[in-house]
Amino acid sequence: EKSGYDHFMVKEIFEQPQTIYDSLRGRLDAKKGTLTMGGIREYASLLKEARRIIIVACGTSWHAGLIAEYIIEELCRIPVEVEYASEFRYRNPVVGKGDVIIAVSQSGETADTLVAMESAKEKGAIILGVCNVVGSSIARLSHAGAYTHAGPEIGVASTKAFTAQLAVLCLIALKVAEEKGSISQQRFQYLLDELDSISEKVATTLKLDAQIRQVADKYKDARDFLFLGRGYNFPVALEGALKLKEISYIHAEGYPAAEMKHGPIALVDENLPVVFVATRDANYEKIVSNIQEIKARKGKVIAVVTEGDTSIRSMADDVIEVPACDELVAPMLSVIPLQLLAYYIGVLKGLDVDKPRNLAKSVTVE
Ligand code: M6R
């Protein structure tokens, strides 16, 4: 049940400190500096020798896959591709022995993802599943895998399953990197510590609830929204746009911030809210100049930044501060304000946020 919350969506958003913790628990031991991934143990050596990793998924799970691509390539130095399951299945992809498929799915029943896995399996690829539902079709079809421990997700908009997927995909990347020796002991330990402290930082971020509601109220009547980010935060921008579309029916698009100048910047005027996911990372200086480009065209800037950031504060219309963390784990934090923003805009518009029109919780048709 909703345990005192108005909707499942907000209940599930607020469960994230716990569900991330549950997805790490029993696997990550930061004090001892160890990582145990029971579900993939047998396949760990195959994984580290993989010629290529292909992540297949849909929707929000596909966004988690995009983040995992950056993380796995960075830590494991294995080429990764991320495919929309529906496209992958029907375009006669080059896939076979030596390839590892990671299917990411909350429900484990998404038909597009299921058929993509089936065809790759027939061609000799190893299939790993990252699912939230124990015993689901995708989990059963996988050779091995790791469950996310987010608990049942009822709201049609995926929230806690997404951050749990990020946690588990991060663990898989770290495990493979450790086995492969592509990460230094020091960095390995540092990232274990960063992961270990993420739940607490998510809890801190959730305290911004009232502030985000105000931001939602200010922009709820906008016709369109843009979401921009770079690096690990680029897929977070895509996810923010998807959440807003689903829940508020406002047209929203996500882009890598640098792509603005290749077209979408033509849309910017004083009526367009642009959400920047601009936490401190390797791309920080670059994204600051992207914010200036939007301000120069009178767009309204809402920026998700790292605590204590003063340069963006001086430019943006609204600033939402999240705790500092390493860029690899930042998406688990930076997505939280975007989930709340979509939720509150939907609520303020009087919409059915748990069951948006035209959508089903799990899409079991191709
Ligand atoms: O159950 P899955 O993770 O396989 O579902 C994939 C998508 O259908 C799902 O993420 C969808 O995009 C959500 N409604 C997003 O909020």
Side-chain angles (χ1 to χ4, degrees):
E1 262 316 294
K2 291 182 205 151
S3 345
Y5 287 97
D6 290 342
H7 302 96
F8 284 108
M9 182 179 176
V10 71
K11 170 178 178 263
E12 289 163 1
I13 291 174
F14 274 84
E15 278 172 355
Q16 289 174 107
Q18 186 64 42
T19 49
I20 294 174
Y21 175 79
D22 289 343
S23 299
L24 299 172
R25 192 173 44 166
R27 293 167 169 164
L28 166 78
D29 189 333
K31 278 206 188 74
K32 289 199 188 124
T34 57
L35 188 51
T36 331
M37 295 298 287
I40 62 162
R41 192 177 298 133
E42 280 175 70
Y43 288 89
S45 63
L46 270 171
L47 257 165
K48 75 173 195 224
E49 279 144 29
R51 168 174 80 176
R52 186 169 59 141
I53 293 174
I54 306 168
I55 301 178
V56 295
C58 308
T60 289
S61 299
W62 183 77
H63 296 153
L66 287 178
I67 296 168
E69 171 187 19
Y70 284 29
I71 298 176
I72 297 171
E73 290 203 342
E74 165 72 19
L75 299 182
C76 313
R77 310 310 298 157
I78 299 170
V80 181
E81 281 166 40
V82 190
E83 302 265 1
Y84 281 118
S86 55
E87 287 299 314
F88 179 72
R89 167 65 183 83
Y90 290 103
R91 68 171 171 74
N92 193 15
V94 181
V95 60
K97 264 199 160 11
D99 291 327
V100 174
I101 306 284
I102 305 182
V104 184
S105 173
Q106 187 285 127
S107 61
E109 302 297 342
T110 301
D112 286 325
T113 308
L114 205 54
V115 292
M117 296 165 69
E118 273 165 356
S119 73
K121 197 174 178 185
E122 271 163 29
K123 291 176 175 152
I126 297 292
I127 318 283
L128 300 185
V130 173
C131 296
N132 194 45
V133 178
V134 177
S136 56
S137 308
I138 291 176
R140 280 183 282 124
L141 196 73
S142 306
H143 292 109
Y147 281 113
T148 47
H149 295 197
E153 194 182 59
I154 312 289
V156 164
S158 189
T159 54
K160 62 175 180 171
F162 176 70
T163 47
Q165 286 165 348
L166 293 178
V168 168
L169 289 163
C170 214
L171 292 179
I172 295 177
L174 279 164
K175 189 72 214 168
V176 175
E178 184 192 25
E179 294 269 333
K180 201 179 163 192
S182 55
I183 188 168
S184 70
Q185 183 50 43
Q186 198 189 1
R187 181 130 196 253
F188 182 72
Q189 180 64 52
Y190 165 73
L191 289 172
L192 293 190
D193 291 335
E194 280 293 295
L195 267 175
D196 197 42
S197 61
I198 205 74
S199 289
E200 228 179 277
K201 293 177 186 173
V202 169
T204 307
T205 306
L206 286 166
K207 295 195 181 125
L208 303 172
D209 185 49
Q211 188 210 342
I212 296 167
R213 196 189 160 101
Q214 282 172 4
V215 176
D217 199 33
K218 189 164 160 191
Y219 296 101
K220 65 179 187 307
D221 298 317
R223 194 191 56 186
D224 311 280
F225 261 79
L226 274 181
F227 287 77
L228 303 175
R230 302 178 75 119
Y232 296 99
N233 278 328
F234 152 53
V236 175
L238 296 181
E239 175 60 7
L242 178 61
K243 286 289 90 88
L244 191 66
K245 274 182 270 210
E246 283 186 295
I247 300 305
S248 74
Y249 313 150
I250 295 176
H251 167 240
E253 291 191 58
Y255 271 100
E259 274 295 303
M260 285 305 291
K261 57 184 176 298
H262 300 288
I265 201 158
L267 297 169
V268 179
D269 65 13
E270 67 281 6
N271 298 315
L272 185 75
V274 183
V275 179
F276 274 93
V277 191
T279 50
R280 279 244 175 230
D281 59 20
N283 295 305
Y284 179 76
E285 299 302 332
K286 294 273 179 202
I287 205 155
V288 168
S289 38
N290 297 138
I291 294 177
Q292 283 161 341
E293 287 155 19
I294 298 296
K295 280 319 294 174
R297 287 155 186 91
K298 302 197 169 53
K300 298 279 181 292
V301 170
I302 304 158
V304 177
V305 302
T306 301
E307 239 161 38
D309 187 314
T310 48
S311 4
I312 296 183
R313 183 170 286 280
S314 65
M315 291 179 259
D317 296 85
D318 294 275
V319 162
I320 299 164
E321 294 193 17
V322 300
C325 65
D326 187 82
E327 60 180 7
L328 258 84
V329 298
M332 281 183 263
L333 287 187
S334 51
V335 76
I336 307 283
L338 308 191
Q339 295 171 342
L340 285 169
L341 183 67
Y343 171 72
Y344 281 120
I345 293 183
V347 167
L348 291 165
K349 288 176 102 84
L351 300 171
D352 186 354
V353 293
D354 280 339
K355 282 201 178 71
R357 67 186 182 202
N358 308 340
L359 290 168
K361 179 61 185 162
S362 79
V363 185
T364 53
V365 289
E366 272 188 68

